[in-house]
Amino acid sequence: MDKYSIIIVGGGPAGLAAAYGAWKSEKFRESDKILIIERDKELGGILNQCIHNGFGLHYFKEELTGPEYAERFVRMLEDSPIEIMTDTMVLEITRESEGIKVCTIGKNVGYTNLYADTIVLSMGCRERTRGAIGISGTRPAGVFTAGTAQRYVNIEGYMPGRRVVVLGSGDIGLIMARRMTLEGAKVLACVELMPFSSGLTRNIVQCLHDYDIPLYLSHTITEIRGEKRVEQVVMSRVDENRRPIAGSEVVFDCDTLLLSVGLIPENELSKTANIELDMRTGGPVVSESMETSSSGIFACGNVLHVHDLVDFVSQEGERAGISAISYVHEISQGREKSDIFKLINGANVSYTVPQRMDMARISNNTTVFFRVNRVFAQSRISVTSGGVEIVSYKRTHMLPAEMERILLPKKILERANGDITISCTEETR
Amino acid sequence: MTKLICIVCPKGCHLQVDVGDTIVVTGHACNRGVEYGKNELKNPVRVITSTVRIENAIYRRIPVKTASPIPKPLIRKAMLLLDKISLAAPVEVGQIVVEDICGTGIPFVASRSMERVEKAEG
């Protein structure tokens, strides 16, 4: 039977980096077989439609567009023995006596069961839709998620509309406000429910300010009007409980509404594999080696938690790939037991990734990603264990929209004597 | 004094730019912030990305970018240059698409490679 050492599900930035990480790892042997399964007709995932620049400053130390970033990674794998199946989709992942079974269907392979020692989940995420946020009104054409509009404009070459309102200030929404403007559309407004933007500050500047597109904070769209096509949308101000205020309505004449109202990690497959999910991230619970609750199954990238920057997706992907290949060779010798400490969300922290530490397997530096739940000025990140602070970090400002990360050296982590809490407090001057 | 958000990297430093005999930038975490702050007042520039038509490729559009940032007032004119362009696959990443954007000497280049594909049935 054909058995792979690692099957990587999804050939976007996370999957590509996982493949690269595993192949370049000192643990990799020539007999190891690695396979990437990709649903689309080419590798690169969503990067291929993200034609704007700003990618790669951390990872490649230069500024690239999405397609360039993807192409770099694909080329890095060119001389590798890694197998690639495009136009192929994974339907189910289950555990059998022969190994982990990956049930796939595809243009070239038909319906096939593949087997692997380890799996890397890198399926990415999906956009929330109109249905998810329940906007009232008619159901005309012209309501798109921002990412769908991005695909139409940048890959298929169609313009979704001429007069546009964007609901939500997520990065894709901001990028598309600029993109539609450059292609000749009029973007009337970007409307954000929260009192702060959910996109990166630099995108507010270079996508909205540069093109004089107004941003309405603490506002939402309360009605969509139009028969066959969107004709108008109604915007209302919201109170501190995010409820629309009667009498504050403003009507925009437009033919298109773009939604940039959040991303959801796509974990249908993880559920078939009975993997424990974290309600806060929407992705699997993982240890610092990116291993899920199901031994030998790893996860990385947006399927794990939604990132702002692809550079960190790549970093996480590499980590997952290295962990997977190490696992392959560890199980043949019997895996040693280890203490597992939980990472607990303290004050003002809405989630952390990883959620636990496998103390025997921590590397020299462990990156912990987290998000804060409000806007912070001068602030302090505190890491405690057993009521004792083991390390702290300072920040000049923090936003819920911008993922924070701290690097925990092994020496410091070894001071922990139990569960580890991460919390944030504002510093008064 | 002008307050700016640096857009050079995702960090988004809050800059203060004071114009006196010389331009003084504060609030930056790296030197690229100083350069951005000065430029933003004197001659703001941006990298522009878009797409152009392509024949015989996997998709109908291929992404392009300005090889370096161009002055902001030229953005609209630069975009119009792209309307006339039609490429044929194969195209290599970095290949020049428009030689000189409005006398700046800066070209538009392809931001990905696309192989030639024969039209499949259906």
Side-chain angles (χ1 to χ4, degrees), chain A residues 347-407:
Chain A
N348 301 313
V349 171
S350 48
Y351 77 72
T352 68
V353 168
Q355 291 89 340
R356 46 182 176 230
M357 295 278 176
D358 187 342
M359 294 308 281
R361 296 185 178 82
I362 50 176
S363 53
N364 287 337
N365 282 301
T366 299
T367 306
V368 175
F369 292 112
F370 66 93
R371 282 186 198 271
V372 290
N373 60 10
R374 65 177 179 87
V375 178
F376 279 90
Q378 201 71 40
S379 49
R380 179 184 158 89
I381 302 162
S382 172
V383 182
T384 58
S385 180
V388 180
E389 184 170 272
I390 55 174
V391 65
S392 74
Y393 303 85
K394 289 196 170 181
R395 291 288 185 276
T396 51
H397 63 276
M398 292 194 285
L399 304 172
E402 299 189 351
M403 194 162 75
E404 287 297 329
R405 60 180 187 136
I406 51 177
L407 211 58

Side-chain angles (χ1 to χ4, degrees), chain A residues 160-176:
Chain A
R162 288 285 154 198
R163 285 177 67 82
V164 184
V165 171
V166 181
L167 174 60
S169 59
D171 287 309
I172 317 168
L174 300 174
I175 295 286
M176 280 313 290

Side-chain angles (χ1 to χ4, degrees), chain A residues 33-52:
Chain A
K33 286 178 65 183
I34 301 176
L35 169 69
I36 303 177
I37 301 179
E38 168 57 43
R39 182 163 63 179
D40 207 341
K41 51 187 168 186
E42 61 175 352
L43 295 172
I46 217 70
L47 282 170
N48 290 324
Q49 70 180 56
C50 296
I51 63 162
H52 53 281

